[in-house]
Amino acid sequence: MSQFYMPVKIVSGRGCVLAQSTLFSGFGKKAMIVSGRNSAKRNGSEADVLEALKKEKIEALVYDRIESNPTIESCYEAAEYAKAQKVDFLVAIGGGSPMDAAKAIALLARQDIPKDRLFSGNYEKKRLPMVFIPTTAGTGSEVTQYSILTNHEAKTKSGLATEVIFPDLAFLDGRYTESLSLVTTIHTAVDALSHSAEGMISTRANCLSDLFAKDSIERITRCIPALLQAKDGGEGIDEQVREELLLASMMAGVVIAQTGTTVVHGMGYSLTYFKEIDHGRANGLLLGHYLELIEERKPELSQKVVAAMGLKEASEVTEILQRLLGEGDCLSKEEVLQYAKVAFLSKNMNNCQVKPTEEEIVGLYEKGLQCREGLVI
Ligand code: NAP
Ligand code: FE
C-alpha cells in the first residue's frame, strides 16, 4: 500500500509575492509575520510581504522573535501573542526555524494542547491559516507536515507530525536566498540532499516520492560544482543555482512529507541539540557512511541514491560530502554512546529499510565525526 498527499499550493518565480498578492486576501484581515531576528529584514522578503499585505488592505504585525532551532516554549509564547492580537493568519518568513515554529503556533493559537500532549499526534483539525516563504534552500518545511522543535525535557529535537499543519500556500523566490552565507547555503543544500536520499531509502518510499527524490537529487548534484568552486574561493553562487537549490529543496520536502526521514536525521538531532552543529551539516556528516552501510547489505537500495548523483559507489557520496563540509567536528566516546542510544530509540528508525544496530550507529558517528577517545570539540 502506498499514498501520496500534497495539499500545499506552491507559487514560484522572481517577484511572485507581489505579483500574486491577491492570494493573501483569502486568509483574513490581520496577519502575523513570523520570522527570525534579522534575515527577513535584510533579504527583502519582509518588505515584499508588507507591501503585498498593504496592497490587499491587510493589517500586519511583525513577530520577529523566533530563534534557530526553536523551542517548545517560544512557540507557546508566540501562540499567546497571536491569540491576544486576534490575528487571522500567519505568514512565516525564513529558514526551517521560523517555518516550523509557525506550524506549532498556528495549531496552539486555535486549540489548547498541554505541553505533555504536544507530540501526541492527537489534535483537532483547527489551526490558523499559514503562508510560507522559505529564505533558505534546505528544509522544505514549506511543504511538510512536520514541525521540529527543541525539546529540553527530552534533551533532543522532537517532531510534531500531523496533516493538520501542512501550510496552505508557499511562495518560492530564489532572490531571498541570495544573502545566505556560503556555509549556510552548503549546510542547507546538504539537508535537502539528505531528505531526498533518505526518502529514497525509506520503508515508505513509493514510485511518486522517488520521482521527486530523483529529480531533486539530480538538481542538487548539478549545483555541487558551483558550491565547491565558491568554497575554494572562486565565484559567488549565481541566481540560477539559487533558484535550482530552492526548487530542489521544496521537492525534497515533498519527498519527506511522504516518506519521513531515517536514522540519519535521528542521529543528527543530538549533534544539533548538544553540539550546536547546523542541522544540514549534522545530516551530511552521517549520510554517506549510512549509504556505505546499506551498500554492504542491500546494494540495490543505496544504488538508487548513488546513481541519481551520477556516481558508482556510496564512498563517492561520502567523499563529496566531506569536500563540501570540511572537517572539524569530533565527539568523545561517551558522547557517541549517549547519542547512539537516543538515535536507536528514535521514531526515524522505523523508516529504515536497513536498520543499523546500536553498535553500528556508534560506528557511523565515529566515522562521520572522526572521534577519538577523550577528544571533545
Ligand atoms: P534556520 O535555523 O531557519 O536559519 C539559520 C540561520 O540562517 C539563521 O541565523 C537565519 O537568520 C539565517 N537566514 C535565514 N535565511 C537567510 C537569508 N536568506 N539570508 C541570510 N541569512 C538567512 O535554518 P534552516 O537550516 O533553514 O532550518 C533548520 C531548522 O529546520 C531546524 O530546526 C531543523 O530541525 C528544521 N527542519 C525542519 C524540517 C521540516 O520538515 N519541517 C526538515 C528539516 C529541518 P534569522 O534568524 O535572522 O532569520
Ligand atoms: Fe532536515
Side-chain angles (χ1 to χ4, degrees):
M1 195 186 73
S2 70
Q3 73 171 38
F4 189 91
Y5 182 53
M6 184 38 56
V8 186
K9 181 179 185 115
I10 301 158
V11 179
S12 65
R14 294 172 76 80
C16 61
V17 169
L18 279 167
Q20 296 288 322
S21 64
T22 52
L23 292 175
F24 285 105
S25 61
F27 298 114
K29 284 284 155 214
K30 190 169 182 181
M32 172 167 149
I33 295 175
V34 178
S35 73
R37 288 256 176 230
N38 300 306
S39 67
K41 299 186 200 318
R42 297 209 183 123
N43 60 34
S45 52
E46 186 184 290
D48 280 358
V49 169
L50 287 171
E51 194 180 331
L53 294 173
K54 194 171 166 200
K55 211 164 118 193
E56 300 306 320
K57 301 190 171 38
I58 296 168
E59 189 186 342
L61 297 176
V62 177
Y63 189 91
D64 56 5
R65 279 185 251 158
I66 304 300
E67 71 276 44
S68 275
N69 303 301
T71 59
I72 296 170
E73 290 71 23
S74 51
C75 294
Y76 273 91
E77 199 179 306
E80 282 310 313
Y81 178 80
K83 279 196 271 189
Q85 295 292 335
K86 297 191 169 42
V87 303
D88 296 321
F89 68 103
L90 304 180
V91 183
I93 309 176
S97 297
M99 291 194 284
D100 280 10
K103 292 172 182 170
I105 297 165
L107 198 66
L108 294 168
R110 278 286 162 87
Q111 46 187 302
D112 291 323
I113 306 172
K115 281 190 188 149
D116 60 354
R117 280 212 305 106
L118 185 59
F119 301 101
S120 68
N122 192 9
Y123 320 105
E124 290 175 61
K125 287 203 165 108
K126 288 190 298 191
R127 61 156 170 85
L128 290 173
M130 290 181 272
V131 181
F132 275 31
I133 302 168
T135 66
T136 62
T139 69
S141 178
E142 67 277 15
V143 290
T144 72
Q145 70 281 44
Y146 309 124
S147 165
I148 316 288
L149 303 177
T150 297
N151 183 346
H152 287 309
E153 207 157 297
K155 289 198 167 32
T156 185
K157 299 189 76 179
S158 301
L160 231 143
T162 164
E163 287 184 1
V164 181
I165 56 171
F166 268 115
D168 299 284
L169 171 63
F171 284 111
L172 308 187
D173 186 335
R175 288 177 314 160
Y176 303 143
T177 65
E178 277 167 16
S179 53
L180 281 169
S181 69
L182 180 62
V183 170
T184 308
T185 303
I186 292 176
H187 288 174
T188 46
V190 167
D191 189 25
L193 177 69
S194 206
H195 293 161
S196 283
E198 291 177 64
M200 269 189 151
I201 57 179
S202 162
T203 47
R204 288 151 62 192
N206 61 49
C207 58
L208 283 172
S209 63
D210 275 358
L211 270 181
F212 279 84
K214 183 169 178 288
D215 194 281
S216 90
I217 291 175
E218 287 170 357
R219 283 175 197 273
I220 295 165
T221 303
R222 283 200 293 273
C223 296
I224 288 176
L227 297 177
L228 287 173
Q229 217 178 355
K231 194 163 184 276
D232 293 341
E235 312 250 304
I237 311 290
D238 72 26
E239 209 176 273
Q240 206 191 332
V241 170
R242 292 282 181 200
E243 279 169 12
E244 194 79 324
L245 288 173
L246 188 60
L247 199 61
S249 143
M250 177 273 289
M251 294 171 113
V254 172
V255 174
I256 57 168
Q258 321 306 319
T259 63
T261 54
T262 67
V263 69
V264 173
H265 267 66
M267 292 175 71
Y269 291 143
S270 287
L271 299 181
T272 302
Y273 185 84
F274 291 105
K275 292 292 177 184
E276 293 175 8
I277 296 177
D278 280 0
H279 171 73
R281 177 180 186 82
N283 300 324
L285 294 170
L286 303 161
L287 175 66
H289 299 291
Y290 180 49
L291 288 172
E292 288 184 54
L293 181 79
I294 296 176
E295 197 169 65
E296 286 170 22
R297 304 254 177 89
K298 209 171 175 185
E300 68 282 10
L301 189 62
S302 53
Q303 196 54 34
K304 283 169 74 179
V305 177
V306 172
M309 289 184 75
L311 303 171
K312 291 210 161 55
E313 291 175 10
S315 61
E316 295 173 274
V317 180
T318 308
E319 214 174 288
I320 288 178
L321 287 168
Q322 278 169 347
R323 281 178 65 201
L324 280 168
L325 300 173
E327 294 182 354
D329 306 287
C330 193
L331 305 176
S332 69
K333 187 77 188 178
E334 207 175 49
E335 287 167 328
V336 168
L337 295 176
Q338 180 196 346
Y339 304 169
K341 215 171 260 328
V342 175
F344 187 66
L345 296 174
S346 70
K347 286 190 209 153
N348 309 59
M349 279 291 279
N350 298 333
N351 298 329
C352 295
Q353 287 194 44
V354 172
K355 288 193 200 320
T357 61
E358 198 171 320
E359 292 69 39
E360 283 168 335
I361 294 177
V362 168
L364 293 175
Y365 274 125
E366 287 178 342
K367 283 184 189 143
L369 288 101
Q370 300 120 24
C371 312
R372 266 164 255 120
E373 194 88 37
L375 256 183
V376 188
I377 45 172

